[in-house]
Amino acid sequence: MKLGEFLILVTGAAGYIGSHVNKLLHDEGYQTIVLDNLSNGHEEMVKWGEFVRGDLKDTKLLVSLFKKYNIEAVIHLAALASVKESTLFPQKYYTNNFQYTRNLLNIMEKFDVNKFIFSSTAAVYGEPESIPISETSSLKPINPYGKSKLMVENLLSEKSKSSDFNYVALRYFNASGADLSAEIGENHNPETHLIPIVLDAALGKREKIAIFGDDYPTFDGSCIRDYLHVNDIAIAHLKGLEFLNNQKSDVFNLGIGKGFSVKEIIESCEKVTGCEIPTTVEDRREGDPAILIADNKKAEEILKWKAKFNDIDEIIESAYNFHKKLG
Ligand code: UFG
């Protein structure tokens, strides 16, 4: 990487979504610095850009990065992202997700870096009042994870009104799938997300899949989610960078605008893998809303973003190809 060129700092790029964003930026000719503490990410997922292992709480390290490189914009994905863990360790979530983001913003301000893309979440809405959920729906997160993300959104909003700082906050619905190269994908430890768990069961790495609740007010009793492909999420970050050139700030939902039930996901996994997947029905998981589906019109109209993947079998197949390689 040559010094003196404009660079994008991507935090959390060793993680699931971050690695796909980093790859796309590279494919589109951007130069990236990747900052990740590897608490949840994997170094082998950082195949592009310059990797720096470190924490967002490390002010000295951040200052040295902003001094050394001509950073034009920051894409901030580094965060803790388990809803359940956040209910057990709320302070950890407020510290990591809010306090360390504030630290990053303080340093950006010192170095006059004014473009910021923030990984937000559908969890900022809590129990939705109506479906599909638009950006103007009320923001009533029901767990510390969603609350910590909303605190950052509030700070970003105030900051952008009072200075020439601009941001795009992307509220992801359910990230899923993997890059078609199958070289990067979803690999959490422990894994809590539905699709990788079902695929593990198909690959014989788990005995069965537990369906958390089949008495929800949905057509088949299981929860419905809006699963969107991680490469579509990555594209929205590129669109976000372009949008920031207009010196404006905004918040967008990212979803395909269509929902699938837990049972439908299991059926699709069976179809894609050709394996029968044993299931059990267990109690509802705390804090799970029955249905989360994005109203994605705003991203379509303003960002000119629309999910390219809207076939759930295709999304699951891409995840399966990565999973098979993971072994
Ligand atoms: N589920 C099961 N069995 C499992 C795992 C999950 O039935 O073993 C169900 C869940 O109860 C839920 C659905 O599958 O109804 C999807 O669960 P995930 O854990 O895959 O995803 P969530 O919808 O809970 O969470 C995701 C992100 C969060 C984000 C949230 C926003 O992982 O970071 O979407 O809606 F906050």
Side-chain angles (χ1 to χ4, degrees), residues 92-134:
K92 192 170 152 189
Y93 273 68
Y94 291 115
T95 304
N96 273 273
N97 293 358
F98 178 69
Q99 198 174 314
Y100 296 167
T101 302
R102 202 176 53 180
N103 196 36
L104 173 64
L105 291 167
N106 285 345
I107 292 158
M108 285 175 65
E109 194 172 294
K110 275 201 185 110
F111 286 86
D112 222 8
V113 178
N114 289 321
K115 293 179 183 170
F116 193 71
I117 298 191
F118 177 59
S119 286
S120 192
T121 168
V124 296
Y125 296 112
E127 251 334 311
E129 282 150 2
S130 58
I131 297 289
I133 308 169
S134 81

Side-chain angles (χ1 to χ4, degrees), residues 80-83 120-124 126 143 145-146 172-175 186 188 191-198 206 208-213 216 222-227 260-263 265-266 280 283-285 287-290 292:
L80 296 176
S82 157
V83 170
S120 192
T121 168
V124 296
N143 51 60
Y145 168 63
Y172 314 147
F173 280 63
N174 288 58
E186 187 167 15
H188 299 110
E191 189 54 81
T192 60
H193 293 102
L194 180 66
I195 294 174
I197 289 180
V198 181
R206 283 174 196 257
K208 56 185 191 236
I209 166 85
I211 299 170
F212 297 144
Y216 282 96
S222 65
C223 286
I224 293 179
R225 294 287 180 273
D226 184 332
Y227 295 90
F260 293 93
S261 73
V262 172
K263 290 180 186 171
I265 293 294
I266 296 169
T280 53
D283 289 345
R284 290 180 176 197
R285 194 171 64 176
D288 271 346
L292 292 175

Side-chain angles (χ1 to χ4, degrees), residues 132-161:
I133 308 169
S134 81
E135 291 81 350
T136 53
S137 302
S138 54
L139 300 169
K140 293 183 189 153
I142 52 172
N143 51 60
Y145 168 63
K147 287 178 190 169
S148 67
K149 289 282 181 174
L150 182 56
M151 282 169 75
V152 176
E153 279 200 21
N154 289 337
L155 170 59
L156 295 173
S157 166
E158 301 296 340
K159 189 171 160 61
S160 69
K161 283 179 203 149

